[in-house]
Amino acid sequence: MTTKSLNELSELCRSEKLAYKKCCNYVSETDNEDLRCALGNLANGHRQRYETLINYLDKN
């Protein structure tokens, strides 16, 4: 894998991690249950993508 590819994957990891943290923060700040559910689903998606990227990088 090239250095450029590794750098791009690392940036994707950082972006997914940040998006996950932001969603979690928004969940804790709202009282609207529908919004909490939607944001929780978004957070889970970001966490799953982050974990997939990390697992891929660990194997390579």
Side-chain angles (χ1 to χ4, degrees):
M1 185 175 295
T2 66
T3 302
K4 182 179 179 181
S5 294
L6 284 173
N7 287 339
E8 289 172 351
L9 287 172
S10 294
E11 180 59 32
L12 282 172
C13 283
R14 285 189 293 274
S15 295
E16 290 296 341
K17 187 175 182 180
L18 178 61
Y20 170 72
K21 287 182 176 184
K22 284 184 175 183
C23 285
C24 289
N25 187 48
Y26 294 143
V27 166
S28 69
E29 291 182 356
T30 185
D31 294 329
N32 183 310
E33 193 59 38
D34 291 334
L35 186 55
R36 288 173 64 96
C37 183
L39 288 167
N41 289 336
L42 287 173
N44 287 335
H46 288 298
R47 182 186 46 78
Q48 288 173 348
R49 284 186 292 280
Y50 173 77
E51 290 174 355
T52 300
L53 287 166
I54 291 297
N55 289 334
Y56 178 78
L57 288 171
D58 284 346
K59 291 178 183 177
N60 291 306

